[in-house]
Amino acid sequence: MTEQKKSWFRRLTEGLKRSTGALSGGIGDIFTKRRLDDAALEELEDLLITSDLGVSVASKLTQFLARERFGKEISAEDVRGVLAGYLTEILAPVAKPLAIDPAHCPHVILMAGVNGAGKTTTIGKLAQQFRDQGKSVMLAAGDTFRAAAVEQLQVWGERTGCPVVTTRLGGDAAGLAFEAMTRAKAENVDVLMIDTAGRLQNRTELMEELAKIVRVIRKQDETAPHDALIVLDASTGQNAINQVKVFSEVAQLTGIVMTKLDGSARGGVLVAAAEQFGLPIHAVGVGEGVEDLRPFDAEIFARTLVGLEVEDAA
Amino acid sequence: MFESLSDRLSGVFDKLKKRGALSESDVSAAMREVRVALLEADVALPVVKDFIKQVSDKAVGHNVLKSVTPGQQVIKIVHDELIAMLGGSADQEPPASSETLSLIGVPPVAVLMVGLQGSGKTTSTAKIAKRLTEKDRKRVLMASLDTRRPAAQEQLQVLGEQIGVKTLPIIKGQMATDIAKRAMDAARLQGFDVVMLDTAGRMHVDAALMAEVVAVRDRVQPVETLLVADALTGQDAVTVAKAFDDQVGITGVVLSRMDGDGRGGAALSMRAVTGKPIRLIGTGEKPDAIEPFHATRIAGRILGMGDVVSLVEKAAETIEAEDAERMAAKMRKGQFDLDDLRSQLRQMKKMGGMKGLMSMLPGIGKLAKGASQLDDKLLGRQEAIICAMTPKERRDVRVLNASRKRRIAAGAGVSIQDVNKLLKMHQQMSGMMKKMSKMGKKGGMRGMPSLPGMGGMGGAAGLPGSMGDLMGGLGGGPQGGGLPPELEALMKKKK
């Protein structure tokens, strides 16, 4: 157990470390034995902006720091500690792992997001994880628009041993969702995951289509979808806020998954999203392997975001 | 939503009443706002800093012209500098389609597409291949080197079938470099001009995968290596662009998802850090939704000034030329019947409805909120009312009595008040047309007859007040006085 736990902490931090190298290096440069003055605060704000925290969150954080420690000698380590504490405070309430309620039969998860965020891959990884927990899983290939999106999900279905409900290219996604709901009920599966086509949130007609998918699912089960997740790409900038906002309005999101945190993007926009919407952040993707989709941990994320070592999981 | 830069700057300069040269403190106050505007548009911080420094140097001591406010003057300087940095000049049109990519070499030449996962490489590959086939009459072969993501190769194959471009037959289990070689050999034997090589998405920090794409590059010696990047990318854009340029050596950037509502700051970041031009932008999901990059338009968008030129082009595309001529003639005579109103409503719907139009108009930061309540169904209802009338009624509204109105309301499924509202709107519009024809204005109207029409409509009772202001501002003035210079230039060109 300890062995396993250690390895996932390491995985997450390894992924995030690459993301945070530049930021933490920057903080170190500014605060190695320096008085916290206006210039230092401005540099700090700049560094936070570079990790996509956004102008308003970045200035809020620096103001917070100014109130606490202005004019005092402060080491880089201290700055990081204070910042990490503040970020953890923002993020902790929204760090909730994805939980399957066995009372639901099936537990329906709807995946939404803009094109190329990683919806299908995330479904594949989740499917494997649910299978490993001994659950029966069904997948619905609701991306009827993109070429070979159905085939992509079918490959995941074969890998994880899950049946995949499909329709033809250009078919009706809502109709497919309905059929998937019927089949999942009849076959008594534990979890049904419905993939959707990527759509930009300013495309009204595509958002209408998503709303229709949700309506159709509710016709079969009023409580479904039990989880409506948006998948955010870590490299996305401030537009991610708008994505969460509009998708929430249309599909009543219940949570966020952030992918591609294994690059140099730091996903700081999650902080702004957490502040503004309070939506649970369920998981982060830190690599291409199935085990690289990890539950979101506020403290680890916050500490790695400001470049602090994460203590070994004890 | 974003506040546009002009809104921000008007706040800064409100206190500043005096004319004359811009002082250093004026400029630095303005630059703080410019900085926030650029950062909110996701321009990378180091690029923002360089930019601010350049602009400040230019702006200090700059004389404020008599006819403009200091705020407008600063925006002009910022805008021009932004265009220059994006690789254009204010009056330079983008190159013709064949010049967007340089495909000089002994055929077949290779075009290598690289980028992060999910940046839109495969879709862009297909779009470019279609463009080269149709616009430049090239024989194009596409090949997917993505051996990692499930069904990636099939995706390109299906796209190829959809757009009528040949793809290399898939052989399972082949390595990327071998597929690349096979594609080049096949193209040579079959007489293709261009080979588009779509690669697997990869993180720029993944040394092994980056080495793979370098090996492919060395194998095929591409004439173009294009980095496909998401226009919604945040601060990471500089890191990604720099890493790909340093390690693989790119010749240009393709920005995908420019049809999103992001402000596209990534364009500036990537251009600034690599010095490589933005070649093409993806503007939609359809296979022909790819366009050359216009520095001027993107500059306006980054600053939140709207994309007026695109709006006018869209209008020009949608409005049938003959229709426009006919309507312009009628308007000059001061005749404007309900058939004309209906065709205007239809044009507005075609152009993406109210929200679509609003999104392209400048200075709507505040109004955007009003837009969310704006009901596009209103256009449909108004059209339905006109459709429920007889041709005679449409030609001459004077015949409409209470009984006819009742019939029309029932036919269109609306209330009699709705019918009356529409009639009032039409009355106001035709009144305005008459006034305008009397003024005998030049320019404006002849080139773009539907825009003044919208101006009239905005003032009418059928639409919310905020829209009225907006539309009035766009085309209401008889001289087209409220129009930005690009728009006026374009209208002159059209006529």
Side-chain angles (χ1 to χ4, degrees):
Chain A
M1 185 63 201
T2 329
E3 183 75 35
Q4 194 195 353
K5 215 174 176 186
K6 233 182 223 171
S7 80
W8 90 243
F9 268 111
R10 206 176 50 236
R11 278 192 167 279
L12 183 60
T13 42
E14 270 168 14
L16 284 171
K17 213 181 267 169
R18 269 194 297 232
S19 316
T20 51
L23 175 66
S24 55
I27 294 184
D29 292 345
I30 303 172
F31 288 103
T32 333
K33 283 175 200 153
R34 244 179 90 173
R35 191 174 291 276
L36 191 64
D37 54 14
D38 280 330
L41 282 172
E42 199 188 310
E43 281 173 61
L44 178 65
E45 189 188 270
D46 286 355
L47 282 160
L48 292 172
I49 288 170
T50 342
S51 31
D52 282 320
L53 267 83
V55 186
S56 63
V57 175
S59 75
K60 227 166 104 177
L61 276 171
T62 33
Q63 275 161 25
F64 170 80
L65 199 68
R67 267 202 311 278
E68 300 262 300
R69 307 290 160 94
F70 194 78
K72 290 182 190 145
E73 290 276 337
I74 188 164
S75 73
E77 203 69 11
D78 282 344
V79 171
R80 289 176 192 180
V82 176
L83 275 179
Y86 191 51
L87 286 168
T88 311
E89 226 169 87
I90 298 174
L91 292 169
V94 295
K96 290 173 196 149
L98 193 58
I100 300 301
D101 188 342
H104 299 135
C105 191
H107 185 97
V108 182
I109 302 175
L110 181 72
M111 283 287 175
V114 300
N115 319 57
K119 289 175 293 299
T120 309
T121 309
T122 303
I123 287 186
K125 290 175 181 175
L126 281 174
Q128 185 63 59
Q129 292 180 4
F130 292 143
R131 293 288 290 155
D132 293 345
Q133 293 164 21
K135 294 190 170 68
S136 58
V137 180
M138 185 181 280
L139 309 177
D143 184 352
T144 56
F145 181 82
R146 204 195 70 203
V150 173
E151 287 81 348
Q152 188 184 349
L153 196 68
Q154 272 170 336
V155 171
W156 276 108
E158 278 163 33
R159 279 186 195 169
T160 57
C162 304
V164 182
V165 188
T166 61
T167 178
R168 61 179 207 295
L169 191 66
D172 178 31
L176 176 94
F178 190 86
E179 190 194 325
M181 288 289 291
T182 319
R183 261 188 71 183
K185 275 184 184 169
E187 292 174 29
N188 215 12
V189 299
D190 299 324
V191 184
L192 169 66
M193 283 194 278
I194 303 174
D195 194 11
T196 62
R199 63 199 78 221
L200 290 169
Q201 73 277 13
N202 59 339
R203 293 285 300 273
T204 328
E205 77 284 14
L206 297 180
M207 295 310 281
E208 281 293 323
E209 183 194 275
L210 182 64
K212 186 177 168 193
I213 295 174
V214 176
R215 277 202 304 278
V216 164
I217 293 173
R218 290 207 177 121
K219 275 195 184 146
Q220 294 248 359
D221 181 352
E222 275 176 25
T223 60
H226 306 100
D227 283 293
L229 307 182
I230 185 169
V231 180
L232 296 178
D233 182 331
S235 69
T236 306
Q238 299 309 303
N239 192 250
I241 300 289
N242 217 15
Q243 289 174 18
V244 176
K245 181 171 174 281
V246 178
F247 273 95
S248 276
E249 284 163 10
V250 173
Q252 295 84 45
L253 296 180
T254 61
I256 299 175
V257 174
M258 178 164 268
T259 59
K260 305 181 209 172
L261 266 172
D262 48 332
S264 56
R266 297 167 205 135
V269 74
L270 268 189
V271 179
E275 275 216 304
Q276 220 167 314
F277 304 102
L279 277 176
I281 303 167
H282 292 310
V284 290
V286 292
E288 296 203 325
V290 165
E291 70 287 353
D292 293 331
L293 186 73
R294 288 286 146 205
F296 175 77
D297 183 303
E299 199 182 341
I300 296 177
F301 187 82
R303 289 178 74 86
T304 43
L305 199 62
V306 298
L308 279 170
E309 284 299 312
V310 177
E311 295 123 45
D312 231 302
Chain B
M1 268 311 281
F2 300 107
E3 230 183 320
S4 84
L5 183 64
S6 31
D7 295 342
R8 290 179 173 284
L9 285 181
S10 63
V12 173
F13 286 110
D14 272 350
K15 290 162 235 154
L16 195 76
K17 289 281 188 281
K18 68 173 166 59
R19 298 292 179 186
L22 293 168
S23 77
E24 210 169 327
S25 67
D26 298 340
V27 171
S28 86
M31 287 308 130
R32 271 199 293 278
E33 298 297 331
V34 174
R35 175 177 171 272
V36 176
L38 292 177
L39 287 172
E40 279 184 348
D42 282 327
V43 180
L45 188 70
V47 179
V48 173
K49 288 196 158 165
D50 286 351
F51 180 77
I52 296 282
K53 200 179 165 306
Q54 275 179 38
V55 175
S56 304
D57 293 347
K58 287 217 170 126
V60 173
H62 207 97
N63 269 316
V64 175
L65 301 172
K66 269 206 178 99
S67 53
V68 298
T69 65
Q72 286 170 331
Q73 184 80 38
V74 171
I75 288 172
K76 167 107 176 64
I77 299 169
V78 170
H79 190 237
D80 290 353
E81 197 62 24
L82 207 50
I83 292 167
M85 215 159 161
L86 282 165
S89 70
D91 42 32
Q92 193 196 321
E93 279 300 297
S97 67
S98 54
E99 291 166 82
T100 50
L101 295 181
S102 104
L103 300 171
I104 302 155
V106 183
V109 294
V111 176
L112 188 62
M113 309 289 285
V114 297
L116 301 179
Q117 290 94 338
S119 57
K121 286 175 299 302
T122 307
T123 309
S124 302
T125 302
K127 285 177 177 176
I128 295 174
K130 184 167 192 279
R131 195 181 160 89
L132 290 175
T133 308
E134 289 173 4
K135 290 215 163 145
D136 302 305
R137 308 259 159 231
K138 299 277 185 195
R139 295 200 65 214
V140 183
L141 178 70
M142 301 192 291
S144 169
L145 314 186
D146 189 346
T147 53
R148 300 169 59 82
R149 204 192 66 197
Q153 302 192 39
E154 286 80 358
Q155 185 186 351
L156 192 69
Q157 193 176 37
V158 174
L159 282 171
E161 283 160 20
Q162 283 173 2
I163 61 173
V165 173
K166 291 259 162 41
T167 47
L168 190 72
I170 298 169
I171 299 179
K172 291 276 173 203
Q174 224 178 7
M175 303 265 291
T177 43
D178 297 333
I179 303 174
K181 183 175 179 298
R182 187 158 59 90
M184 296 308 288
D185 290 346
R188 211 164 287 129
L189 287 172
Q190 296 170 37
F192 283 98
D193 302 316
V194 182
V195 181
M196 303 277 311
L197 296 171
D198 178 26
T199 63
R202 64 201 73 223
M203 285 291 180
H204 50 287
V205 293
D206 189 328
L209 278 177
M210 290 303 274
E212 182 200 81
V213 80
V214 168
V216 171
R217 180 199 67 192
D218 293 344
R219 194 65 166 270
V220 302
Q221 299 290 331
V223 290
E224 289 273 11
T225 303
L226 301 175
L227 172 65
V228 183
D230 188 336
L232 306 174
T233 310
Q235 297 288 324
D236 200 37
V238 274
T239 325
V240 173
K242 199 162 180 321
F244 272 98
D245 195 27
D246 289 350
Q247 295 179 51
V248 190
I250 59 171
T251 58
V253 177
V254 176
L255 273 184
S256 61
R257 299 200 259 287
M258 277 305 277
D259 53 328
D261 57 3
R263 297 256 292 272
L268 185 64
S269 307
M270 292 190 163
R271 164 81 209 197
V273 77
T274 62
K276 303 290 159 59
I278 316 269
R279 291 291 174 74
L280 291 157
I281 56 172
T283 54
E285 301 200 329
K286 300 220 175 78
D288 47 9
I290 191 158
E291 293 172 8
F293 175 75
H294 295 70
T296 330
R297 300 183 194 179
I298 306 305
R301 179 162 163 178
I302 290 174
L303 294 177
M305 288 161 61
D307 191 351
V308 178
V309 183
S310 294
L311 170 68
V312 175
E313 278 189 359
K314 207 164 181 188
E317 264 171 36
T318 335
I319 298 160
E320 311 293 327
E322 283 172 36
D323 247 23
E325 269 307 311
R326 193 174 50 79
M327 199 180 297
K330 273 187 161 182
M331 282 186 196
R332 271 197 292 277
K333 282 188 225 150
Q335 295 169 345
F336 181 74
D337 63 22
L338 285 167
D339 276 322
D340 301 323
L341 178 58
R342 180 169 61 173
S343 64
Q344 291 225 332
L345 291 173
R346 283 185 179 157
Q347 274 160 12
M348 285 182 72
K349 256 167 58 180
K350 262 200 224 164
M351 286 166 72
M354 285 294 185
K355 279 179 209 163
L357 286 175
M358 298 265 301
S359 70
M360 281 185 281
L361 289 170
I364 51 150
K366 279 174 268 172
L367 293 178
K369 282 192 194 90
S372 59
Q373 309 154 4
L374 224 136
D375 194 357
D376 269 332
K377 285 182 186 152
L378 181 69
L379 293 180
R381 275 200 296 273
Q382 290 176 332
E383 195 189 324
I385 296 173
I386 300 177
C387 287
M389 295 177 181
T390 65
K392 189 181 166 194
E393 287 164 347
R394 274 178 235 152
R395 272 195 304 275
D396 187 1
V397 290
R398 282 172 300 186
V399 302
L400 286 171
N401 55 25
S403 143
R404 281 177 189 262
K405 281 183 192 168
R406 250 198 317 278
R407 190 203 78 237
I408 292 164
V414 296
S415 67
I416 295 180
Q417 282 92 320
D418 289 329
V419 177
N420 284 331
K421 261 187 217 161
L422 177 92
L423 291 174
K424 193 171 172 208
M425 181 172 107
H426 166 255
Q427 197 187 354
Q428 284 176 348
M429 282 175 79
S430 59
M432 180 171 260
M433 302 284 164
K434 270 186 197 132
K435 249 189 256 165
M436 285 165 88
S437 66
K438 273 185 198 135
M439 280 182 219
K441 31 91 272 137
K442 26 195 147 100
M445 276 269 283
R446 241 171 296 147
M448 192 52 54
S450 89
L451 291 179
M454 277 155 49
M457 211 173 134
L463 294 169
S466 58
M467 275 304 284
D469 302 341
L470 174 71
M471 293 301 198
L474 179 65
Q479 305 285 343
L483 299 182
E486 302 103 296
L487 184 56
E488 274 181 333
L490 203 112
M491 292 201 316
K492 272 180 215 134
K493 210 168 63 188
K494 284 255 141 63
K495 190 66 214 176

